[in-house]
Amino acid sequence: QQVVVKKNTQYNQQLIDKLSKPHQFWQTQPMPNINEMDKLQPGPIQQGVLAEVRKDPLNLIDKFEWFNVDLRNDEQAQQVYTLLKENYVEDDDNMFRFDYSIDFLRWALLPPGQYADWLIGVRVNQKLVGFISGIPVTLHIENEQNKVKMTEINFLCVHKKIRANRLAPVLIKEITRRVHIKNMWQAVYTAGIVVPTPISQTRYYHRSLNAKKLIEVGFSSLSARQTISRQQKLYKLPEEPKTPGLRPMKKKDVAQVTKLLNEYLKNFKLYFKYTEEEVKHWFIPRKDVISTYVVEKEQGVVTDFLSFYNLPSQVIKNPKYTHLKAAYSYYNVATQTPIVQLMYDALILAKNEGYDVFNALDIMDNEKFLKELMFCPGDGQLNYYLYNWKLESNMLKPEEIGIVLV
Ligand SMILES: CNCCCN(C)c1ncc(F)c(N2CC(C(=O)NCc3cnc4ccccn34)C2)n1
């Protein structure tokens, strides 16, 4: 009885702390808060000093230990896969949970220039219970001058059974330390939740490809006047794409795709500049991970390309389906083909690859095709964050965002 009481009071105290001092951790971080907005100069908020960076890892509660994950090792990749599959992001109604595959994680987390100690695990007697990842990027912020080497943070995950141990802030502090050691002082990340202080709030849109299944898994719902067969007719797509010369991207296209992409991304206030090696990594098709198609005109000239990545969701409780197959719009550049036609072909290609839904954020030029191609706004909001950087403008509009985080 005594133990139960103690546990409850401890838990209640944590709850009181949480509610009384929201974002207790984030108030300690270099993120502009509301009233500082107008005072801070654009650029780094805190000047980092390399000599002052702690050289040893942060302390962990006993029995917990740090562990650098080698994703090339099948066993370790399997451990990260299982931790995420069972404990990563769910929708608000706990009906779906992301199921990032091992091949996808290797694509997302082993780009050119990756550091061995930026894939951080926490283990308790050999079992992985926590994870956070960083990859090196050079982010262009608001104008050509600001080319900032930094880290892109993703996949922060703590096992459901050990939440409320305040492990997440320790994971964030530890990866921050390891990034500082590399003399980098900024980070970019996204989250479905709002913590201090988003630089942009974007929205997910969904285009039904398999209307019947989306209704059966509870992703979509029917209003009074709608029927399943009406929905199927409404969202029906042609068998084949329309654009002549549309074909899967190959290695020989890398140089032209790199030029098209870098030229296009200059239109935005937040974007990466890609080397050919990076385009090879991020865009060459990988089965069940990334699909990229180019439009090749006469004499092998590539004028447009489209790309989408594969992120299935586990359907947590459904008698008929275990997964929702979702394609997510990645980067699309239309210089000669109308963007609506290019993306209509993307829907057809995704449908033919077996996807149930095609998701896109309202960033870049996506607004130009979302309505016309019958995307519906989702309940999911994705907030973009910049760590230790004050923008010139307080917030960026979604259409000013030129980066997609997977
Ligand atoms: C850096 N990573 C961003 C990409 C995916 N991230 C983490 C994400 N963050 C918040 C969201 F709102 C979200 N949405 C995709 C939309 C959607 O499809 N919502 C229904 C649904 C189906 N399956 C799931 C699984 C989890 C959450 C919602 N789900 C909303 N995606």
Side-chain angles (χ1 to χ4, degrees):
Q1 184 55 17
Q2 211 56 20
V3 168
V4 168
V5 166
K6 181 174 172 311
K7 203 124 172 65
N8 279 346
T9 40
Q10 190 187 37
Y11 179 71
N12 293 341
Q13 189 49 51
Q14 272 173 358
L15 211 58
I16 291 161
D17 278 356
K18 223 163 141 53
L19 296 174
S20 64
K21 280 168 273 164
H23 308 316
Q24 199 181 355
F25 165 72
W26 285 107
Q27 303 304 21
T28 67
Q29 300 298 299
M31 307 292 285
N33 61 51
I34 337 276
N35 43 49
E36 281 167 345
M37 274 309 189
D38 45 6
K39 273 200 298 275
L40 286 168
Q41 292 302 316
I45 292 169
Q46 276 175 1
Q47 213 49 44
V49 178
L50 193 54
E52 289 172 8
V53 178
R54 185 177 159 157
K55 296 280 175 295
D56 53 319
L58 271 73
N59 301 327
L60 279 170
I61 21 187
D62 61 330
K63 291 221 284 301
F64 286 67
E65 56 183 27
W66 293 115
F67 173 72
N68 289 345
V69 172
D70 171 7
L71 269 183
R72 288 185 177 81
N73 172 296
D74 289 348
E75 211 176 298
Q76 296 182 37
Q78 185 65 41
Q79 279 203 309
V80 174
Y81 168 74
T82 304
L83 176 73
L84 295 174
K85 177 186 174 64
E86 295 172 356
N87 303 279
Y88 198 47
V89 182
E90 297 175 9
D91 66 307
D92 294 345
D93 304 324
N94 308 103
M95 290 164 62
F96 307 105
R97 188 165 55 238
F98 290 121
D99 187 5
Y100 287 88
S101 72
I102 288 181
D103 287 343
F104 189 105
L105 293 169
R106 284 174 172 155
W107 174 66
L109 300 177
L110 296 175
Q114 177 55 314
Y115 297 104
D117 64 344
W118 279 17
L119 301 181
I120 307 179
V122 171
R123 289 191 357 190
V124 176
N125 11 312
Q126 307 312 315
K127 247 188 77 55
L128 194 68
V129 294
F131 182 75
I132 191 166
S133 70
I135 61 171
V137 292
T138 302
L139 187 62
H140 293 245
I141 311 175
E142 289 180 313
N143 51 47
E144 266 304 296
Q145 283 88 330
N146 298 328
K147 297 183 184 105
V148 185
K149 275 181 171 299
M150 63 171 77
T151 185
E152 176 187 306
I153 298 295
N154 206 339
F155 299 107
L156 167 61
C157 183
V158 171
H159 197 288
K160 285 169 182 266
K161 289 217 177 63
I162 59 154
R163 303 258 164 103
N165 268 318
R166 311 292 298 159
L167 183 59
V170 178
L171 278 163
I172 295 169
K173 284 177 188 155
E174 178 60 14
I175 195 144
T176 305
R177 187 188 68 80
R178 296 188 191 191
V179 171
H180 286 168
I181 285 181
K182 300 280 191 293
N183 203 20
M184 293 186 210
W185 306 94
Q186 276 74 35
V188 60
Y189 52 98
T190 60
I193 56 165
V194 182
V195 285
T197 310
I199 57 162
S200 191
Q201 301 196 295
T202 71
R203 179 154 298 286
Y204 274 98
Y205 284 74
H206 312 285
R207 207 289 185 179
S208 173
L209 301 176
N210 182 343
K212 185 164 181 295
K213 178 173 175 184
L214 293 187
I215 291 155
E216 289 174 330
V217 301
F219 183 90
S220 312
S221 52
L222 284 178
S223 70
R225 285 179 306 288
Q226 289 169 335
T227 66
I228 288 189
S229 65
R230 275 278 314 123
Q231 291 297 92
Q232 286 171 311
K233 269 192 209 77
L234 182 66
Y235 290 114
K236 187 151 181 53
L237 292 165
E239 296 286 304
E240 295 305 319
K242 210 178 284 187
T243 308
L246 187 67
R247 62 164 172 79
M249 177 185 176
K250 294 177 196 137
K251 278 213 176 42
K252 66 175 185 177
D253 305 316
V254 166
Q256 294 193 74
V257 167
T258 304
K259 269 206 194 60
L260 278 173
L261 180 61
N262 284 330
E263 202 45 46
Y264 176 65
L265 292 177
K266 286 178 184 164
N267 294 312
F268 307 104
K269 292 217 167 150
L270 216 59
Y271 61 91
F272 300 131
K273 192 167 172 134
Y274 290 80
T275 62
E276 290 191 4
E277 197 201 353
E278 287 164 331
V279 166
K280 210 162 118 212
H281 176 84
W282 292 114
F283 292 92
I284 292 291
R286 296 179 187 215
K287 184 166 171 19
D288 296 333
V289 175
I290 176 78
S291 299
T292 305
Y293 291 79
V294 298
V295 177
E296 180 182 358
K297 294 288 188 345
E298 313 69 43
Q299 284 90 32
V301 176
V302 171
T303 55
D304 320 89
F305 73 88
L306 65 93
S307 59
F308 49 86
Y309 61 85
N310 172 39
L311 172 50
S313 290
Q314 184 184 350
V315 183
I316 293 168
K317 271 192 300 300
N318 185 281
K320 189 173 175 186
Y321 299 103
T322 59
H323 284 82
L324 167 70
K325 297 187 178 74
Y328 283 71
S329 176
Y330 195 47
Y331 293 91
N332 308 293
V333 180
T335 65
Q336 306 234 329
T337 307
I339 182 83
V340 171
Q341 179 184 318
L342 189 71
M343 293 312 292
Y344 190 59
D345 283 345
L347 297 177
I348 295 164
L349 291 163
K351 168 76 181 170
N352 292 350
E353 288 187 25
Y355 290 98
D356 302 320
V357 65
F358 191 98
N359 292 335
L361 289 162
D362 57 354
I363 61 175
M364 293 189 275
D365 291 324
N366 293 357
E367 274 300 337
K368 290 178 181 152
F369 62 79
L370 290 171
K371 289 182 184 45
E372 194 162 342
L373 293 180
M374 297 199 292
F375 282 74
C376 300
D379 53 0
Q381 181 178 330
L382 197 66
N383 304 294
Y384 280 74
Y385 297 91
L386 260 184
Y387 178 91
N388 193 25
W389 188 275
K390 173 71 182 68
L391 288 173
E392 280 154 29
S393 36
N394 282 343
M395 290 280 272
L396 296 180
K397 298 192 285 282
E399 57 269 25
E400 293 174 322
I401 300 286
I403 59 172
V404 176
L405 272 57
V406 297

